[in-house]
Amino acid sequence: MLFECTETGYSAFHEDLAVYTTGKDLLELKANSVEALSLYFEEQAIEIKESQIELVFHLDAFFKRYRALNARVARSEFDLIRLDLKSHPLNNLDAQ
């Protein structure tokens, strides 16, 4: 199951099945994943064990979530570099 960080903890989903769950930490998320998958396969009487579940970090969601933050950081770093260059002594040579 793929998982991602949320404002309240974590969420997980299966890419091929309609199975979604959440948890306040990774231990709870894994336990809830067992329950969610068990409910999904209940009619087929398939038993799901925690050892069968692998949580994989969802990198696409991570980068989408933090794209705006990264853009703001990059802009502020660019502004700091520009200010530093404006105050550099070599920029004052034309004024002399």
Side-chain angles (χ1 to χ4, degrees), residues 68-86:
L69 175 63
N70 289 338
R72 278 186 256 141
V73 168
R75 175 65 189 194
S76 64
E77 287 177 2
F78 174 76
D79 288 344
L80 288 174
I81 291 169
R82 201 172 62 189
L83 286 172
D84 190 46
L85 290 174
K86 282 183 178 180

Side-chain angles (χ1 to χ4, degrees), residues 32-43:
N32 291 347
S33 296
V34 170
E35 183 180 5
L37 286 164
S38 294
L39 288 170
Y40 184 85
F41 290 111
E42 187 174 41
E43 288 184 20

Side-chain angles (χ1 to χ4, degrees), residues 31-75:
N32 291 347
S33 296
V34 170
E35 183 180 5
L37 286 164
S38 294
L39 288 170
Y40 184 85
F41 290 111
E42 187 174 41
E43 288 184 20
Q44 292 96 334
I46 297 173
E47 184 181 345
I48 303 295
K49 297 177 184 169
E50 194 169 303
S51 61
Q52 296 173 290
I53 295 179
E54 180 181 24
L55 294 176
V56 178
F57 192 68
H58 191 261
L59 288 174
D60 288 341
F62 173 81
F63 287 117
K64 284 179 186 175
R65 181 176 175 88
Y66 291 101
R67 185 176 295 159
L69 175 63
N70 289 338
R72 278 186 256 141
V73 168
R75 175 65 189 194

Side-chain angles (χ1 to χ4, degrees), residues 2-13 21-30 32 55 57:
L2 294 176
F3 79 94
E4 59 192 22
C5 300
T6 65
E7 291 181 17
T8 57
Y10 298 92
S11 67
F13 63 94
T21 191
T22 62
K24 67 178 182 233
D25 55 41
L26 291 175
L27 290 174
E28 184 178 283
L29 183 66
K30 192 157 190 179
N32 291 347
L55 294 176
F57 192 68

